[in-house]
Amino acid sequence: MNSINLRLNDSVNHVSQVSDTRAKALNKLNIFTVRDLINHFPRNYLDLTKVVKIGNAASGNTYTISATVHKIEEKEPKPGMRLIEITLVDDSGTLIVTMFRQAWLKKILKVDYQVAVAGKLEFKFGFKRMTNPHLEILSNNKDVSDIAKIVPVHGATAGLSAAWLRRIIANALKYIDGLEGFVPNKLVKQYRLMDYYKALCKVHFPETMKDVMLAKRTLKYSEILLIQTYMMKSSLNASRGCMPITHKIDGPKLSKLIERLPYDLTRDQNLALSEISAKMASDDICKHLVFGDVGSGKTVLAACAIAISADSGYQSMMMAPTEILVQQHEKTFRDFGIKFDVLTSSTKNRDEILEKFRNGEIDLLLGTHALLEDDVLPKNLSLVVIDEQQRFGVEQRSKLIKKSTPLACDTLFLSATPIPRTLALTLYGDLSFSYLKQIPVGTANRTTRVLHRDNSSAAYDTAFDALERGEQVFVVCPLVGVDSQERDERAGVEYGFISVEEDGDFKHDNVKAATTHAAILQNKVFTNYEVGLLHGRMSSEDKAQVINEFSNGKIDVLVCTTVVEVGIDIAGATVMIIEDADRFGLAQLHQLRGRVGRSSKPSNIFLISSSKSKPAIERLSAMEKTNDGTKLAAYDLSLRHEGDILGNRQHGTGILKLIQVEKDKAIIETAHKDAENIIETDPELKLPEHRMLSFELSQVF
C-alpha cells in the first residue's frame, strides 16, 4: 500500500503554511484533516479566459468582468446599513459594484488595482451594477496574460481569504503527491476515468473548463462507489452468523387485520405489501423502505408486516421518533387486533412491560428511543419497523436490529419524505424500495396558498368560516430550538433550516412567542372559540391532554410549534396557517400540511411570509403547484443540501461533496450496479484489485 494514502488523515496542521491561526479558521469550515482540505472543492470558477467588456454586458445576465478600480467609497444609506461601493472602469464603460458587510475590502483594495468580478449584472440609476459579486484581486498591473486563466472559488471564512485557501490546498496536494486511487483499475479503464490524484489537482486548479468536467466526473463516480460499497458491505456484515427467518404470509392475524380495514388497500399499497410479503417469506433478509406522503397508508403496511411476524410465532418492535407519533400509532393499532404494549421515557409500568416482552406475551413493542435501552430484550424478534427512519442515526437503527440476535430479523423502514429514487439509491443503496403515491379513498383535496403578512387576513377569514361550520384550525409557529434572534441569524436571510427530528430537539424550545400568539388569538381574534397551545417543552401528559381535547372538539384552534409535524391525526381540522413559512424547508412544510385534509372535507393551508425576497416566495410557491411530495423533495434538493432535507443524522451525507442527485442520475445508477457486482464477487474485498477500496472504506467510515 502506498504510504501517501495514510497522510490523508493527518491533521491539517501538517500542510505547509497552515499556522495555528489558519488551522482554527479552517476548523470553522469543518476542515480538520488533509482529507477534509482536499475535499473542500470549489463552489464555482471564474473563467477569466472568457472575460467580457463592461460595454458588452447586458442587464439580467451573469458575467465575469475584468476591470480597473477607479474609486472606493464607504456609504451608510440608512442607519445600521454599511456598504462599500466600488467603481470599476475599462475602455468600454463603467460598472458600480456594491458590497454589503465587507468593510475589509476598503483596507485591501486600492485605486488602479486590477480585479475580476463575477455576478449578475443589472442596470439601475443610470449605471450598470453588480451586488455582492465574487471579487478577486488579480494584480496591481494590467498584464492581460496574467489574468487569462480559470480561477477556482473556494468557500472562505473570516481570517482566511479565498486566495489563501488556494495556496493551502495547493500545498496539500503537494503533500499527498503520489496518492493512489481506490476505484478498481478495471472500472477506471471501462469508464475512461482520470487518475484519482490528477482529478483532485484538476478540480482545484484547472487549465480549462473541460478539465473541471472530466475531473468532477471521476470524483463523483468515486464518492458514489465508495458509499454504495460501504452500505452493501455493512449490511452483509450485520447479518453474518445470524439465522435467517422464513415467515408465514397467509396466517389468520393478517387476514383478520385486512378484513377490519374500513377501506380497500390502494394499488400502491397492494403492490408494496406483495413485495414485503415475498421478501419476508424468503430465506433472504428483508430490508425494505416504504416512501409515502402523509396519509398514504404506510402504517397499515407496517401493521400487515407485524401481523405476518406474529402469525409466524415471532415478535416485532416498532420505533418512532416522538411520543406524539407513538401515541398516534397506539391509537391506530388498537383497531388491528395485534397484542402490543408501549414503551417511552414516560412509561410508568416499564418493568412489567419488559417482563411480558421477554416472555413472549406480546406480539409488538411500540416505542421511542426508549426501545434502545440494553434491558429491552425480546424473546424471539423477527421484525423491526422504524418509522420516520431518517430521524434516527445509523448506529441507533443498527442497535435496535441487533436485538434479534441470533435471529436475522427483517427490517421495514417508513418515511414520509418521498425522496427521488436516485437520492434513495445514494443514501440507502442496500435497501429495496416501495413508493406510495396514491392517497386512500375518502380523503379530500388540499389547497395551498402563499400570502404576504399584509394579506394574512384572508387566511384568518377562511379559518373563521371553517370554525362556523364546526371544523378546526391549526396555527403553526416556527419557534423550535433557539430564540428568534439566533434563529434568524442561523437561517440567513431567506433559508429554511428548522428541523425537528426527535423529542430532544424540543428541550430548548422558545415558547414565549407561541404563548403570546395563542393569547392574542384567544382574546382578540377567536374570542368565541377555544384556543389551545401545544409545544415541545410540555410534559407527555400535558401534550396528550391537549391532543385529546383537540381531537374531541373541546379545542377549536390549536396554536403549536412543529411538534405537530408528524403523528397528529385530527379529522375535523381543515385549515392550517403556518406563520413565517419561509423559515421551513419544503419537505417539512409538506409534512405539516399533511395534518389537515385527513377526511372527506376540503382543506386549506396558508403559508404566511414577511419576506420580500423573490427566491423565497418562488420556493414557497412550489407548494401551491403540487401535492406530490417526491416533486417537492426534488425541488428542495435543487436548492439545499441532502442533509438539510433528510436530517442531520444520516451517515453518508457528509461525503457527498460533488454529486448533484437530480443531474447525476446516470453516475449514481452505474456506481450502484458496480458496487453490487463488487460485493457479490468479493464480499470481503480481499482481491488485490479491491485492496485500495477496502483501505479507503476503513479510513472514511
Side-chain angles (χ1 to χ4, degrees):
M1 180 179 299
N2 192 328
S3 62
I4 299 297
N5 290 75
L6 292 170
R7 295 184 182 179
L8 287 174
N9 285 348
D10 285 352
S11 167
V12 74
N13 296 77
H14 284 75
V15 176
S16 177
Q17 294 187 297
V18 177
S19 62
D20 289 342
T21 300
R22 289 182 187 131
K24 288 179 181 178
L26 288 168
N27 292 167
K28 293 178 183 177
L29 296 170
N30 290 320
I31 296 173
F32 299 93
T33 66
V34 177
R35 184 188 301 277
D36 296 333
L37 184 56
I38 63 169
N39 286 334
H40 186 66
F41 299 117
R43 294 180 303 182
N44 50 52
Y45 300 84
L46 294 179
D47 189 353
L48 301 185
T49 64
K50 296 181 180 179
V51 176
V52 301
K53 294 282 188 180
I54 295 173
N56 295 332
S59 179
N61 296 322
T62 300
Y63 297 101
T64 298
I65 293 173
S66 174
T68 303
V69 177
H70 176 69
K71 185 166 60 174
I72 310 165
E73 294 181 281
E74 185 172 5
K75 295 184 176 182
E76 189 173 7
K78 63 181 182 180
M81 178 185 284
R82 290 184 176 276
L83 58 85
I84 301 295
E85 190 172 272
I86 307 162
T87 303
L88 301 180
V89 297
D90 64 12
D91 57 12
S92 69
T94 300
L95 175 68
I96 307 296
V97 172
T98 303
M99 307 293 278
F100 290 96
R101 297 183 295 276
Q102 299 185 54
W104 52 271
L105 280 171
K106 192 176 181 183
K107 298 178 181 178
I108 64 171
L109 270 183
K110 298 185 184 302
V111 172
D112 290 335
Y113 267 27
Q114 188 83 1
V115 300
V117 290
K120 188 175 181 179
L121 187 136
E122 297 177 302
F123 188 84
K124 288 183 179 180
F125 311 115
F127 286 97
K128 292 182 177 181
R129 298 174 180 270
M130 283 186 182
T131 302
N132 277 356
H134 177 80
L135 185 148
E136 188 82 22
I137 299 174
L138 300 172
S139 72
N140 56 4
N141 60 60
K142 300 179 182 180
D143 185 351
V144 175
S145 64
D146 185 49
I147 65 172
K149 58 186 177 181
I150 307 291
V151 179
V153 180
H154 295 85
T157 187
L160 195 64
S161 67
W164 262 108
L165 257 174
R166 286 198 296 274
R167 293 189 194 105
I168 291 170
I169 290 172
N171 291 337
L173 289 170
K174 292 176 184 176
Y175 184 73
I176 58 168
D177 188 8
L179 181 76
E180 285 187 58
F182 56 83
V183 176
N185 285 333
K186 176 184 175 182
L187 297 175
V188 171
K189 293 177 181 177
Q190 181 179 344
Y191 301 126
R192 298 180 181 179
L193 302 177
M194 271 187 177
D195 170 81
Y196 188 66
Y197 178 71
K198 181 180 178 182
L200 286 171
C201 293
K202 290 298 184 183
V203 79
H204 286 293
F205 302 104
E207 295 177 11
T208 67
M209 290 308 294
K210 185 178 180 180
D211 285 347
V212 175
M213 180 188 72
L214 295 175
K216 281 189 173 182
R217 181 172 171 270
T218 294
L219 297 172
K220 286 178 178 182
Y221 176 84
S222 300
E223 69 180 26
I224 287 294
L225 183 72
L226 188 69
I227 192 170
Q228 294 285 297
T229 306
Y230 165 75
M231 286 187 292
M232 294 175 192
K233 190 172 187 296
S234 298
S235 181
L236 200 65
N237 291 341
S239 61
R240 183 170 283 111
C242 294
M243 182 175 68
I245 302 164
T246 303
H247 286 97
K248 177 182 179 181
I249 60 173
D250 56 356
K253 293 186 178 181
L254 176 61
S255 299
K256 189 175 181 180
L257 187 156
I258 293 176
E259 287 173 6
R260 287 188 175 194
L261 293 177
Y263 52 80
D264 293 330
L265 295 178
T266 65
R267 183 187 68 250
D268 287 351
Q269 284 176 309
N270 275 313
L271 178 60
L273 180 55
S274 296
E275 292 170 341
I276 294 165
S277 299
K279 291 178 182 297
M280 292 183 72
S282 73
D283 290 336
D284 295 329
I285 298 173
C286 172
K287 296 186 67 177
H288 198 75
L289 174 53
V290 179
F291 290 112
D293 274 339
V294 173
S296 60
K298 299 183 297 297
T299 306
V300 172
L301 290 178
C304 290
I306 291 165
I308 289 172
S309 173
D311 277 330
S312 305
Y314 295 101
Q315 294 172 295
S316 303
M317 297 178 77
M318 182 171 180
M319 184 167 67
T322 66
E323 287 196 27
I324 284 182
L325 185 50
V326 169
Q327 289 164 3
Q328 183 62 52
H329 287 325
E330 180 182 7
K331 179 181 175 182
T332 303
F333 276 108
R334 287 196 192 114
D335 299 328
F336 287 158
I338 295 171
K339 289 194 299 182
F340 73 94
D341 263 313
V342 174
L343 185 68
T344 70
S345 59
S346 59
T347 298
K348 304 299 183 186
N349 56 334
R350 185 176 188 276
D351 292 340
E352 178 186 341
I353 290 173
L354 294 186
E355 183 67 20
K356 288 166 65 178
F357 193 46
R358 280 193 295 266
N359 293 336
E361 297 175 38
I362 53 178
D363 299 326
L364 166 69
L365 187 58
L366 170 65
T368 56
H369 296 73
L371 298 180
L372 298 172
E373 295 297 325
D374 292 338
D375 61 344
V376 181
L377 299 170
K379 180 181 180 181
N380 56 351
L381 181 67
S382 78
L383 175 69
V384 164
V385 181
I386 300 181
D387 196 10
E388 293 299 317
Q389 63 85 33
Q390 75 277 8
R391 296 167 189 253
F392 296 97
V394 170
E395 293 78 12
Q396 292 172 320
R397 298 194 296 256
S398 178
K399 184 173 183 179
L400 191 64
I401 293 167
K402 286 179 180 178
K403 289 180 182 287
S404 70
T405 307
L407 300 177
C409 78
D410 291 338
T411 49
L412 181 63
F413 304 100
L414 311 178
S415 176
T417 304
I419 62 176
R421 172 182 155 78
T422 45
L423 180 55
L425 271 182
T426 304
L427 297 178
Y428 314 117
D430 57 330
L431 309 181
S432 52
F433 313 122
S434 292
Y435 283 85
L436 302 182
K437 296 186 178 181
Q438 295 172 293
I439 302 298
V441 176
T443 54
N445 290 330
R446 294 190 298 255
T447 301
T448 302
R449 289 178 61 191
V450 178
L451 296 175
H452 191 270
R453 185 163 305 286
D454 294 343
N455 301 320
S456 60
S457 59
Y460 285 91
D461 287 344
T462 302
F464 269 114
D465 292 341
L467 292 170
E468 287 182 5
R469 294 191 300 268
E471 296 163 11
Q472 293 164 288
V473 175
F474 282 106
V475 178
V476 182
C477 301
L479 304 169
V480 176
V482 293
D483 63 38
S484 299
Q485 181 179 350
E486 184 182 348
R487 183 191 74 230
D488 290 347
E489 289 174 356
R490 286 177 57 188
V493 179
E494 299 296 348
Y495 237 159
F497 86 102
I498 296 167
S499 179
V500 179
E501 302 188 1
E502 60 179 55
D503 286 323
D505 290 341
F506 293 115
K507 64 183 179 180
H508 300 302
D509 197 358
N510 172 19
V511 300
K512 182 179 179 181
T515 305
T516 302
H517 196 53
I520 291 172
L521 291 180
Q522 179 69 87
N523 298 325
K524 296 185 178 181
V525 183
F526 300 116
T527 54
N528 295 325
Y529 299 95
E530 187 67 27
V531 177
L533 176 64
L534 180 70
H535 58 76
R537 288 175 62 184
M538 295 168 67
S539 67
S540 299
E541 292 80 5
D542 289 343
K543 287 178 191 173
Q545 181 179 342
V546 171
I547 292 169
N548 286 334
E549 289 179 355
F550 194 41
S551 180
N552 295 331
K554 293 181 181 179
I555 292 175
D556 303 299
V557 179
L558 184 61
V559 177
C560 48
T561 57
T562 49
V563 68
V564 302
E565 183 182 346
V566 292
I568 295 182
D569 189 354
I570 309 295
T574 61
V575 175
M576 175 175 281
I577 300 170
I578 303 177
E579 301 284 356
D580 295 325
D582 48 277
R583 298 303 189 195
F584 298 94
L586 296 185
Q588 192 173 31
L589 286 172
H590 187 60
Q591 286 260 36
L592 285 168
R593 73 176 172 184
R595 297 303 108 207
V596 297
R598 301 179 73 85
S599 69
S600 59
K601 299 174 183 177
S603 60
N604 292 276
I605 298 93
F606 296 94
L607 309 180
I608 311 297
S609 173
S610 300
S611 176
K612 295 181 180 178
S613 164
K614 186 177 178 181
I617 300 304
E618 286 179 351
R619 185 168 63 86
L620 289 178
S621 296
M623 298 287 293
E624 296 179 315
K625 297 171 185 174
T626 182
N627 273 307
D628 188 325
T630 307
K631 291 180 180 178
L632 285 171
Y635 181 64
D636 215 3
L637 190 61
S638 70
L639 303 175
R640 307 164 70 208
H641 191 270
E642 291 83 356
D644 298 327
I645 297 168
L646 293 175
N648 55 29
R649 292 162 174 80
Q650 291 311 291
H651 195 53
T653 56
I655 73 165
L656 295 176
K657 303 293 186 182
L658 290 173
I659 279 289
Q660 294 175 283
V661 172
E662 285 301 290
K663 294 181 180 179
D664 297 322
K665 293 179 181 179
I667 293 177
I668 292 168
E669 295 276 2
T670 300
H672 177 75
K673 291 177 182 176
D674 291 339
E676 282 184 326
N677 291 335
I678 289 171
I679 294 300
E680 186 177 336
T681 58
D682 184 19
E684 295 298 322
L685 302 180
K686 299 283 189 183
L687 295 176
E689 58 264 35
H690 299 147
R691 174 179 57 93
M692 289 307 300
L693 179 58
S694 178
F695 175 76
E696 187 72 3
L697 288 172
S698 71
Q699 297 298 295
V700 174
F701 297 101

